[in-house]
Amino acid sequence: MLPLPKSKSRCPQLKKTSIRLWLNAIEIAKRFDIKEDDIHADQLNVYRQTRYNRESNEEEFDGFRVSRSLTVKLKDIKKYPELLQEFVDSGINQFNNTEFGVENEGKYLQSLKKAAIKDAKKAAKELAGEFDVELAKLYSVSFQPMQTPVQPYVRSAVMAMEADQGAYKNAYNTGAITLNAEVYAVYLIE
């Protein structure tokens, strides 16, 4: 978001200032090797602001606020602190919804799922051997845990674990992002 301070001055001047700030932000993004396709700007928003006057018990015009959202996709996470500082130095004073992720996540997850399937087959064979039984055919398979009733005292712990998943997205310094894939397989035995 590229907000500007409210001003009682004319709205066209605020728009010009906002556009100048926005163009400067795009130049900063380009210096950080962000491609034009990875830079997205929303429309210019002009807000009329009022404030409540306690003496007259009325809303009074207090000026305009102009803002524009700019979304950039930075591929080198190590440059994030520098990019953020340059944006701040240029006059941008509001940052919302910073999100860290993995490019081509689907490709990596597909590979992880294949490895999980291989591991599940191996584990099933090992378990069958330990119990002196033979595996028959596959009965069911899922990438989601089997839905079983959760005991009430365990429910809060499960909810806490689920809440922790994806918590890295709100962090400033993400460290390493870990991708996981699990497979749940049920075999018939002979």
Side-chain angles (χ1 to χ4, degrees):
M1 179 92 78
L2 307 174
L4 294 169
K6 63 185 180 188
S7 170
K8 290 186 179 179
S9 68
R10 297 178 50 98
C11 203
Q13 181 59 35
L14 281 176
K15 287 181 187 177
K16 286 179 185 175
T17 305
S18 176
I19 290 169
R20 190 170 52 248
L21 184 61
W22 175 75
L23 290 172
N24 190 25
I26 289 175
E27 287 306 313
I28 291 169
K30 287 179 180 177
R31 284 200 310 266
F32 279 82
D33 300 322
I34 298 173
K35 297 177 184 172
E36 283 193 32
D37 289 349
D38 292 330
I39 301 171
H40 305 280
D42 287 343
Q43 66 187 17
L44 191 66
N45 297 301
V46 180
Y47 305 98
R48 185 178 191 274
Q49 291 194 316
T50 59
R51 65 179 169 84
Y52 182 72
N53 184 328
R54 291 183 184 200
E55 292 175 12
S56 67
N57 290 329
E58 293 181 6
E59 293 285 322
E60 295 179 351
F61 175 70
D62 194 39
F64 292 100
R65 186 173 199 75
V66 177
S67 69
R68 179 177 231 164
S69 291
L70 179 71
T71 303
V72 297
K73 184 177 182 181
L74 178 68
K75 296 188 181 186
D76 185 354
I77 193 83
K78 293 175 185 167
K79 294 180 179 180
Y80 177 70
E82 294 172 50
L83 176 65
L84 190 63
Q85 187 60 53
E86 285 213 28
F87 280 154
V88 169
D89 292 345
S90 75
I92 298 171
N93 57 16
Q94 187 174 346
F95 299 89
N96 299 326
N97 304 321
T98 299
E99 187 173 316
F100 299 98
V102 176
E103 192 170 29
N104 299 323
E105 184 175 340
K107 178 181 79 171
Y108 295 115
L109 285 176
Q110 191 65 28
S111 172
L112 288 171
K113 285 179 181 180
K114 286 180 181 181
I117 290 168
K118 212 181 231 184
D119 289 347
K121 286 179 180 178
K122 181 180 175 186
K125 286 178 184 174
E126 286 177 11
L127 281 171
E130 291 295 321
F131 285 103
D132 298 322
V133 295
E134 293 291 321
L135 288 180
K137 61 183 179 176
L138 183 64
Y139 177 73
S140 72
V141 66
S142 173
F143 289 109
Q144 302 295 322
M146 312 273 173
Q147 295 299 320
T148 57
V150 178
Q151 297 297 322
Y153 62 89
V154 178
R155 190 171 295 137
S156 63
V158 169
M159 288 171 56
M161 286 191 310
E162 287 174 355
D164 283 343
Q165 293 177 352
Y168 68 86
K169 291 182 177 180
N170 298 322
Y172 174 75
N173 185 4
T174 63
I177 296 174
T178 304
L179 298 177
N180 296 311
E182 297 176 341
V183 64
Y184 299 88
V186 177
Y187 284 89
L188 298 175
I189 55 175
E190 295 178 346

